[in-house]
Amino acid sequence: MSRAERLLDLLQVLRRHRHPVSGRLLAQETGVSLRTLYRDIASLQAQGAPVEGEPGLGYVLRPGFTLPPLMFRDEEIEALVLGMRWVAGRTDGPLAAAAGDALAKIAAVLPAELRDRLDASTLMVGPAGTVPDGVDLSALRGAIRAQHKVAIRYRDAAGAGSKRVIWPVALGYFERVRVVVAWCEARDDFRHFRTDRMEALTLTGERYPRSRHALLRDWRTAQGIAPAA
């Protein structure tokens, strides 16, 4: 790997982390010695990259920094195409259309050689076998983004119906079903709701009292899931 490629790789690693990362961990992730890592950090800083931190405290890339959209390796192109194809085949109409639009925008800024690789990707997604959703997922995603409560009519696996007011914080896309992670006011705890078992959804327009990030952090803790990097 050339030095320029190594510096780009280091920037990509820094972009994946929202909090300061130790030099030792960065060296491990980029496959270089700690001494080389420190030299690379200094080179990036000298070239104007907003990398903040110092040895012993860790390093972080200041938000807002962007790289040219042309630096894609073959594996990155394949990951983009495969991911977009999965979204197009496994999600609702608006999100599937958005995946196609995003891929078209990426293709538009790629040089011809990389655009050809994008079009010629041989990674495929198998036929979908998803269960139909009972509610409008685009409305549900909007409520999650706005941090708004929603009222739902729900039928559980045993067929029992109930009405709930929930605070949706995340939407999980599995191979066959979609599952909402939410705080349930009736249970005063986190619950998971399959969207194919939702019979009605009403947008309340009422903001829930805690931030979505704090709720999601608490849910991760309750599930024993490590916090996001």
Side-chain angles (χ1 to χ4, degrees), residues 106-170:
I106 292 170
V109 298
L110 289 175
E113 179 185 355
L114 290 182
R115 188 162 56 248
D116 289 342
R117 293 183 201 172
L118 193 75
D119 295 336
S121 175
T122 57
L123 300 185
M124 301 295 182
V125 175
T130 52
V131 179
D133 299 298
V135 296
D136 180 2
L137 293 194
S138 60
L140 185 55
R141 288 194 302 271
I144 292 173
R145 288 192 296 268
Q147 303 181 93
H148 284 175
K149 299 179 182 182
V150 297
I152 63 172
R153 193 168 71 244
Y154 192 74
R155 193 163 299 278
D156 64 20
S162 63
K163 293 182 179 180
R164 313 282 188 97
V165 174
I166 62 174
W167 310 350
V169 297

Side-chain angles (χ1 to χ4, degrees), residues 26-108:
L26 288 172
Q28 291 174 353
E29 291 195 35
T30 53
V32 300
S33 69
L34 190 58
R35 178 177 296 181
T36 298
L37 184 280
Y38 288 147
R39 287 202 301 265
D40 288 347
I41 289 287
S43 295
L44 289 175
Q45 291 172 329
Q47 293 174 35
V51 180
E52 299 177 347
E54 58 185 77
L57 296 178
Y59 298 92
V60 66
L61 187 64
R62 193 165 65 239
F65 178 75
T66 58
L67 289 172
L70 309 179
M71 306 300 183
F72 289 115
R73 300 191 301 269
D74 285 344
E75 291 82 1
E76 291 171 334
I77 289 176
E78 290 180 338
L80 281 169
V81 173
L82 186 62
M84 295 300 184
R85 286 175 177 171
W86 193 96
V87 171
R90 294 292 191 279
T91 61
D92 56 284
L95 203 58
D101 291 344
L103 196 58
K105 288 178 181 178
I106 292 170

Side-chain angles (χ1 to χ4, degrees), residues 4-17:
E5 290 175 324
R6 196 175 71 239
L7 293 178
L8 282 172
D9 191 41
L10 175 56
L11 280 173
Q12 295 288 10
V13 171
L14 283 165
R15 288 176 68 179
R16 291 200 298 267
H17 295 277

